[in-house]
Amino acid sequence: MQIKLSKRLETIVEMVPVTGEDSCVADIGTDHGFVPIRLMELEKAGRALAMDVRKGPLQRAQEHVLACGMQKRIETRLSDGMQKLQAGEADTVVIAGMGGELMLRILKSADPAVIAGISTFLLSPQSELAIFRHGLEELGLAIREERMLEEDGKYYTIMRVEHGTMHADSEAEYRYGMCLTEDSIPVLRDLLDKEERQYREIAEHLNKQEREGAKARLEEISALLQQIEEAKQKLCSAERS
């Protein structure tokens, strides 16, 4: 069976560190199981756990594992988030394809002993990025690398996270990233330009309204536009350095 991953999933796989034949990667919310299969093909770990809360996707993942002859190296496991992951069982965890607040709930509800035993987290929240980065900071987790990419008109951020401390200088960094790699800069610039156009259109529309609440919403939009400007200034500084 030939596995073809999206650019987003290929990037996640690329960012997973090579950890040796005694190591294990747990893919939380595995869906079709393609990420664990590719990780095993690339010998990035000795074995993998493909975990999902839904029986249907897990069944498809199991079928794909069997079709690829990976059943001795990849175990499929029904699990709500990380609830069925045991302490010391995995040293790398991948969570992608869900909202930031849901991902935070998964991390916060996990057994602390399980979290403590994980060396690297590969996380790709699809929304609420500022809330998510604040949440990581509160959990004692630190972003060590970020990549941003565009695929099919959507923008994705992928974070390599480890235990440690971090703190951003501004809300703009919590929203748009603290340590984006050089090749992510053009993608972020495109996103900032797109969001700036959208927010300015909304602000123009709100300025014409007299409804109660329009002023408060306009203040929110103004704050977001300020964050975009700060992020653009940071990009300019990064390009000059």
Side-chain angles (χ1 to χ4, degrees), residues 4 28 65 80 182 196 213 222:
K4 181 173 176 57
I28 310 301
V65 168
D80 184 358
E182 184 176 349
E196 183 176 20
S222 297

Side-chain angles (χ1 to χ4, degrees), residues 18-83:
V18 178
T19 49
E21 61 181 17
D22 294 329
S23 63
C24 176
V25 178
D27 183 26
I28 310 301
T30 195
D31 200 17
H32 294 82
F34 290 160
V35 167
I37 290 170
R38 180 57 60 87
L39 289 170
M40 295 303 98
E41 289 176 345
L42 295 175
E43 300 294 339
K44 288 216 161 186
R47 62 189 185 91
L49 296 170
M51 306 174 75
D52 206 290
V53 70
R54 300 166 297 169
K55 292 182 179 180
L58 199 66
Q59 177 63 37
R60 289 194 295 273
Q62 189 171 35
E63 292 168 358
H64 294 149
V65 168
L66 290 170
C68 293
M70 295 282 188
Q71 61 271 24
K72 291 185 178 180
R73 299 182 65 190
I74 301 175
E75 176 189 339
T76 56
R77 185 179 297 178
L78 191 66
S79 175
D80 184 358
M82 299 170 65
Q83 296 303 308

Side-chain angles (χ1 to χ4, degrees), residues 188-205:
L188 177 55
R189 185 174 294 282
D190 287 344
L191 174 62
L192 292 171
D193 288 342
K194 180 179 179 180
E195 290 195 350
E196 183 176 20
R197 288 192 299 270
Q198 291 173 339
Y199 289 137
R200 290 199 184 282
E201 287 177 4
I202 294 171
E204 184 179 354
H205 179 69

Side-chain angles (χ1 to χ4, degrees), residues 136-155:
L136 291 179
E137 182 178 352
E138 293 168 4
L139 286 168
L141 297 173
I143 300 168
R144 300 307 186 196
E145 178 186 2
E146 286 191 60
R147 298 189 194 180
M148 180 178 284
L149 59 92
E150 183 273 333
E151 186 173 30
D152 298 329
K154 296 182 179 180
Y155 295 85

